[in-house]
Amino acid sequence: MTESMTQECAALYVVPTPLGNLADLTRRAEEILRSVPWVAAEDTRHSGPLLKQLGVRARTLPAHQHNENEAAARIIEKLQAGESVALISDAGTPGISDPGARIVAAVREAGCRVVPLPGPCAATTALSASGLLDEHFLFYGFLPAKSGQRRQALEALSGIPAALVFYEAPHRVLDTVADLASVFGQRTLVIGRELTKLFETIHSLPLPEALDWLKADPNRQRGEFVLMLSGASGEADSGEGERVLKLLLADGLPTKQAAKLAASITGASKNALYDLALSLKG
Ligand code: SAM
């Protein structure tokens, strides 16, 4: 798109909203919401009270996961008519496990400016207080709802030397934590629950103990969750992973099974252990 086209459009502002504490709305977010003529909201009824409380007079238009393409077309019309639009989701940052990415892509494709505002996001909020020491993190968002697919997704992540960050709903948290424990074995799990709200909890514990901890009190299974898992150590050649692998191989277990089991027990990377097992056998 040409520079002149960009200049003809008004801007789309991507505006994060609080996760649960109104005071977390930034001053800039408030200013933008008050100044734009249009707010594109994931759920206009849900955002109504927030906008009313802020004295926002902008008209709203719906922009949810089932109408993103039509919403994008309407938003582009407004922008090309010189009317700026603020995009918000129900809570946190639009486009992060929320609708928004398609709208942003379409607006950029149309040659209009997209202006991101920093602000609340459950993943970074949770990570900042997790105490996990991993240098890297991988934000996964929601895992598949079905256990088979979820385990498959988790298996694919098992060798990654980065903390893993998942979103989870309360009705699935027990099943997901059970699958995490069976795929990853010995790692640290940090459970971030109801962040920025009255019952905010940030609890760190060894993954094998997590299911019992959650079951011990039904309140621990309520609310919104960020689950954070320490990353694969990647030290399969020198650490606990190698010791366990050698024991299992000496017991006659097939290479693949031994690597998988040693990875589950120690939290070391399954792929690295498999490579090590092959080289030991060779
Ligand atoms: N766009 C949002 C963001 O920036 O974090 C995420 C939206 S996603 C539909 C909702 C999920 O985010 C919840 O199921 C939960 O996993 C996580 N989440 C949102 N608010 C949270 C909170 N206050 N405490 C813990 N997790 C939260």
Side-chain angles (χ1 to χ4, degrees), residues 55-197:
V56 170
R57 284 200 298 268
R59 279 166 293 172
T60 55
L61 60 90
H64 47 76
Q65 61 167 330
H66 304 295
N67 81 339
E68 255 195 285
N69 291 336
E70 301 97 274
R74 276 190 77 187
I75 290 169
I76 291 167
E77 259 174 43
K78 308 287 174 215
L79 300 176
Q80 288 176 339
E83 296 181 278
S84 49
V85 180
L87 175 66
I88 61 173
S89 61
D90 287 353
T93 303
I96 306 299
S97 294
D98 257 345
R102 282 174 201 281
I103 291 170
V104 165
V107 167
R108 289 171 58 81
E109 178 64 23
C112 300
R113 200 157 67 101
V114 176
V115 180
L117 271 66
C121 173
T124 50
T125 303
L127 259 178
S128 70
S130 70
L132 289 174
L133 300 179
D134 302 68
E135 204 173 321
H136 311 286
F137 72 87
L138 183 148
F139 172 67
Y140 193 89
F142 290 102
L143 284 156
K146 292 190 178 148
S147 184
Q149 291 170 7
R150 187 162 57 225
R151 278 168 177 251
Q152 224 174 11
L154 291 174
E155 292 279 358
L157 298 171
S158 65
I160 294 177
L164 303 175
V165 182
F166 304 101
Y167 282 168
E168 197 46 280
H171 62 280
R172 272 202 282 271
V173 73
L174 289 180
D175 289 346
T176 294
V177 168
D179 283 345
L180 285 172
S182 82
V183 173
F184 292 94
Q186 281 298 342
R187 291 213 190 167
T188 298
L189 179 71
V190 185
I191 301 172
R193 185 175 80 88
E194 291 291 89
L195 299 166
T196 76
K197 301 186 200 176

Side-chain angles (χ1 to χ4, degrees), residues 208-279:
E209 296 169 20
L211 199 56
D212 285 344
W213 184 84
L214 283 168
K215 283 181 177 170
D217 179 352
N219 286 324
R220 294 176 181 166
Q221 303 157 32
R222 298 205 168 107
E224 300 194 272
F225 289 88
V226 182
L227 301 174
M228 294 156 285
L229 201 61
S230 59
S233 69
E235 289 165 0
D237 54 347
S238 58
E240 187 65 359
E242 178 174 353
R243 194 182 70 78
V244 174
L245 178 72
K246 283 178 175 165
L247 286 173
L248 295 173
L249 289 172
D251 245 21
L253 247 71
T255 314
K256 203 168 170 188
Q257 204 180 337
K260 189 174 172 192
L261 212 55
S264 286
I265 293 167
T266 65
S269 153
K270 188 174 71 179
N271 292 342
L273 283 172
Y274 183 67
D275 289 345
L276 180 65
L278 290 179
S279 69

